[in-house]
Amino acid sequence: MEKLKVLIKTKNFNPESDVKLLCTCGNEVCDKRSVKQMPLNMLQRVRDDYNLPMIITSGGRCPLHKDELNRSVPADHQKGLGVDIRITGLIMAMKLIAIASKYGFNAFGVNLKAGFVHIGYRPEQNKISVWTY
């Protein structure tokens, strides 16, 4: 019996067109893990409220991804609960964080030099965490 492949997507986010939603490590044994459906649904609500295109620069990551290799425990990307969104400045980052926190995201990292904001969901955490890179 062939296993059905479930495609995780929303109106504006789809791994077929947003390839960065999947792991991009390039390893031949990569599981191509994706952002899970629930945080992607939350992200869609952020996108609807933000009312501008949002470019994903990183989504799901397998344990072999270069940014995950030195972690002692899996973080948002490996768990399928975080994405990085391209930004063009602090005002855009703060607007995204404000909107995303309204829809349940609670982990935010801002990297102005690299031009992205990390938006993550940590269900075990009852507070908002914000950091800079």
Side-chain angles (χ1 to χ4, degrees):
M1 180 176 210
E2 189 176 319
K3 186 177 178 182
L4 291 175
K5 185 176 181 180
V6 177
L7 184 61
I8 296 170
K9 65 180 181 177
T10 67
K11 176 177 72 175
N12 292 106
F13 301 105
N14 183 334
E16 291 178 355
S17 55
D18 297 310
V19 294
K20 297 281 185 150
L21 283 170
L22 304 171
C23 185
T24 59
C25 74
N27 193 298
E28 64 186 39
V29 295
C30 174
D31 61 15
K32 290 292 187 191
R33 88 181 45 179
S34 175
V35 177
K36 293 180 179 176
Q37 187 68 55
M38 187 202 51
L40 204 58
N41 291 343
M42 293 163 60
L43 191 63
Q44 181 62 56
R45 289 191 289 278
V46 172
R47 166 64 177 83
D48 291 343
D49 197 342
Y50 189 60
N51 203 29
L52 289 170
M54 293 168 48
I55 299 169
I56 307 288
T57 60
S58 186
R61 296 180 188 158
C62 80
L64 303 171
H65 191 284
K66 66 179 176 64
D67 293 334
E68 301 298 318
L69 287 173
N70 295 320
R71 293 192 180 277
S72 57
V73 295
D76 300 344
H77 288 279
Q78 239 185 102
K79 293 177 180 179
L81 300 174
V83 296
D84 295 342
I85 306 288
R86 181 175 295 146
I87 57 164
T88 56
L90 184 59
I91 292 172
M92 184 180 187
M94 299 312 292
K95 183 176 179 180
L96 276 173
I97 289 170
I99 294 170
S101 64
K102 186 165 75 169
Y103 293 104
F105 287 103
N106 58 1
F108 306 100
V110 179
N111 189 328
L112 293 175
K113 187 175 182 179
F116 74 87
V117 63
H118 171 83
I119 299 176
Y121 173 62
R122 298 177 181 173
E124 72 284 356
Q125 180 175 295
N126 290 328
K127 62 180 181 176
I128 291 178
S129 296
V130 182
W131 64 92
T132 58
Y133 296 94

